[in-house]
Amino acid sequence: MTTDTEKIFSFLDTLAQTTDELYLEAIIEACGKWLSGEASPVVSENVSKEDIRRGIQLAVLKGMKQNAQPHHQMTPDSIGMLIGHIASKLSVNEHNLTLLDPAAGTGNLLYTVMNAVGNNVTATAVEIDELLVRLSAVVAELLEQPVTFYVQDALRPLLVDPVDITISDVPVGYYPDDDNALNYEMMPTEGHAYAHHLFIEQSMNHTKPGGHGIFIVPANLFESGQSTLLHPFLKKKTIIRAVIQLPDSLFKSTTHAKSILVLQKPFPEMTATRDVLLAKVPNMSDKHALALFLQKIDMWVSE
Ligand code: SAM
């Protein structure tokens, strides 16, 4: 039997094949037709937001393969699922949760998290690439998720009120705009700053006291060249809550390996700092090991 996810993919794929446009542009157009009712996939009555997100994600992945751009890197579902789990546990008592993703890309990570935390969530998405913003905006409408978009360099001033949780698969590498980087504590005295450091700093600037930042970062974050700037920043401006190593098998090579870093912004009523959770995600195809791992995360959050 064909699933709703497959039906949605095949609807988008068929429409995209009938035009000469760039595949990703054609998907945006197809999603627009779906929204306006001009054409739509034949799906079951109880199609879920996750079915829709996954169907579109398959088409976007195909589009990204056909016309590869170095910065078009959608966050894989397995990582999105873990971040969604952590965010939903951290926000159990929040009734009007606010989220920010300052490097939203296609929105896949953001929507995975929004779908995981459930109702009463609003989000702000910032992304520098205009095509990706048009794509993620039309997907947000299809998912009926309330998201405000900004097409801009997220490291420039942001008109965003502090949020409960910032999530981000941060861009890794050097940030070329030295003049702007001088506004950040993690700008080195010589050479360019690390974009991933500045993204963490900017994200925590836009997170409420007591709120959290959940970041996908290079696994060697704490040992890399400019870590001497990172350590004092994290100590002074954040509380490190967890460092979760992702399985190497999710990445092209061990040099591309990533971890999840969970930070909290200090708040006035803060009591003594608890231990940092240092964990390693098991092989994600091992369902039993993964379930035990998620239980460990739940215990850590409830502590
Ligand atoms: N989570 C995203 C998803 O699921 O599609 C993928 C994020 S991707 C790893 C990083 C994104 O950061 C890219 O889409 C890139 O265009 C964007 N980016 C890079 N530098 C940026 C900047 N200075 N301001 C805003 N976005 C930026």
Side-chain angles (χ1 to χ4, degrees):
M1 206 181 77
T2 320
T3 63
D4 282 337
T5 295
E6 287 161 344
K7 286 178 193 158
I8 291 166
F9 166 70
S10 112
F11 160 77
L12 296 172
D13 189 44
T14 310
L15 280 186
Q17 310 266 13
T18 56
T19 78
D20 295 333
E21 280 179 290
L22 199 66
Y23 192 92
L24 284 183
E25 287 282 1
I27 293 172
I28 297 173
E29 204 174 302
C31 287
K33 286 186 178 165
W34 183 3
L35 265 177
S36 69
E38 193 182 327
S40 24
V42 182
V43 287
S44 59
E45 258 176 40
N46 53 357
V47 60
S48 70
K49 292 188 186 202
E50 272 300 273
D51 293 329
I52 300 177
R53 184 191 64 75
R54 286 200 203 101
I56 300 172
Q57 180 206 38
L58 290 178
V60 173
L61 276 173
K62 181 169 173 183
M64 285 183 163
K65 264 194 197 142
Q66 280 190 4
N67 182 24
Q69 304 276 338
H71 65 282
H72 283 182
Q73 293 162 2
M74 188 155 55
T75 306
D77 259 8
S78 43
I79 304 180
M81 185 274 294
L82 279 175
I83 296 191
H85 186 87
I86 297 171
S88 61
K89 295 291 165 189
L90 289 174
S91 60
V92 156
N93 298 320
E94 284 295 340
H95 298 300
N96 292 299
L97 186 75
T98 50
L99 297 177
L100 164 68
D101 185 343
T106 62
N108 193 49
L109 171 65
L110 181 62
Y111 303 145
T112 309
V113 174
M114 290 182 92
N115 288 348
V117 296
N119 296 329
N120 298 324
V121 52
T122 53
T124 303
V126 187
E127 167 58 49
I128 204 161
D129 182 305
E130 184 260 349
L131 171 71
L132 296 183
V133 174
R134 281 192 289 120
L135 174 66
S136 53
V138 78
V139 178
E141 278 200 65
L142 282 169
L143 295 174
E144 298 178 5
Q145 290 290 15
V147 183
T148 305
F149 293 91
Y150 292 92
V151 191
Q152 67 160 88
D153 175 352
L155 299 176
R156 292 249 155 209
L158 281 182
L159 278 173
V160 181
D161 287 334
V163 296
D164 297 306
I165 302 183
T166 302
I167 52 161
S168 197
D169 185 354
V170 294
V172 177
Y174 287 107
Y175 179 61
D177 186 344
D178 293 338
D179 285 343
N180 188 39
L182 284 170
N183 297 315
Y184 289 84
E185 288 191 22
M186 285 192 273
M187 173 64 179
T189 44
E190 272 176 32
H192 297 311
Y194 281 174
H196 42 295
H197 286 182
L198 305 192
F199 265 84
I200 293 173
E201 188 172 335
Q202 177 74 320
S203 299
M204 295 316 286
N205 286 342
H206 287 273
T207 304
K208 289 179 189 169
H212 291 86
I214 311 177
F215 305 101
I216 301 168
V217 295
N220 68 353
L221 182 79
F222 294 108
E223 294 94 46
S224 64
Q226 294 183 14
S227 57
T228 46
L229 294 165
L230 178 75
H231 289 288
F233 170 81
L234 292 180
K235 202 166 170 202
K236 198 163 61 157
K237 296 283 173 77
T238 75
I239 310 161
I240 303 179
R241 289 303 190 199
V243 183
I244 302 169
Q245 200 184 330
L246 292 161
D248 287 346
S249 56
L250 293 180
F251 307 98
K252 268 190 280 178
S253 68
T254 45
T255 43
H256 292 97
K258 302 263 174 101
S259 294
I260 296 175
L261 171 67
V262 184
L263 302 177
Q264 188 172 22
K265 185 141 168 173
F267 53 106
E269 313 81 43
M270 200 169 75
T271 48
T273 310
R274 297 163 302 170
D275 289 343
V276 180
L277 171 76
L278 297 174
K280 190 169 178 180
V281 181
N283 179 342
M284 295 179 85
S285 53
D286 182 341
K287 289 215 167 75
H288 178 66
L290 189 61
L292 285 177
F293 174 78
L294 294 178
Q295 266 178 24
K296 188 172 167 182
I297 294 279
D298 297 353
M299 273 161 55
W300 161 72
V301 175
S302 61
E303 270 168 26

